[in-house]
Amino acid sequence: MADTEVLFIGYPKCSTCQKAEKFLRAHGCAAPMRDIKTQNPTADELRTWHTRSGLPLKRFFNTSGMVYRDRGLKDKLPEMSEEQQYAALASDGMLVKRPLLITKDRVLTGFREAEWAELFA
């Protein structure tokens, strides 16, 4: 898989993102990590990735993060429209589940090695 076909988004200080980056490098992918905190995804990007992923929108939220808890999103999400959820995700990269791996065919949230390995098999 060519590096230009892969968008890798993570947080450099996140140990899971570091593991994912090591995995990518070990599988010959040199796509740089886009820092989710300084270049957080836009609402349009998130909408596109969500649609392509086939996943529930909640899977794009970093539900174990401090920002998620501080904003009380556990209780607010069920009442929010999709557009409000996209806007919330786009407002702070730390709300977005990471790492994200986006290819022309797949969108993966979080690092589950077996799932990522399917892309490089």
Side-chain angles (χ1 to χ4, degrees):
M1 185 176 321
D3 296 338
T4 56
E5 297 174 353
V6 176
L7 179 57
F8 174 50
I9 302 175
Y11 181 52
K13 295 179 182 177
C14 166
S15 62
T16 303
C17 295
Q18 292 168 359
K19 286 180 196 172
E21 186 171 31
K22 281 183 183 177
F23 173 89
L24 289 176
R25 303 304 172 246
H27 287 81
C29 179
M33 182 191 301
R34 176 172 142 187
D35 187 337
I36 202 163
K37 188 167 182 156
T38 60
Q39 292 181 287
N40 57 300
T42 65
D44 287 337
E45 285 177 318
L46 291 158
R47 189 177 300 104
T48 299
W49 300 335
H50 170 236
T51 301
R52 286 182 42 212
S53 73
L55 298 169
L57 186 51
K58 185 174 181 181
R59 288 274 304 271
F60 282 80
F61 281 87
N62 178 12
T63 57
S64 60
M66 288 188 336
V67 176
Y68 183 87
R69 287 193 302 265
D70 290 348
R71 290 192 186 177
L73 289 173
K74 178 182 178 188
D75 299 323
K76 294 178 184 175
L77 272 185
E79 309 300 318
M80 294 170 71
S81 70
E82 273 195 357
E83 289 308 310
Q84 289 171 320
Q85 291 180 50
Y86 291 131
L89 286 166
S91 73
D92 190 328
M94 299 310 277
L95 277 174
V96 181
K97 179 77 173 174
R98 58 188 185 266
L100 286 167
L101 187 67
I102 297 106
T103 70
K104 63 180 179 151
D105 300 320
R106 302 277 306 268
V107 177
L108 304 177
T109 61
F111 179 59
R112 288 175 294 285
E113 190 169 337
E115 189 178 37
W116 286 41
E118 288 177 18
L119 290 176
F120 295 92

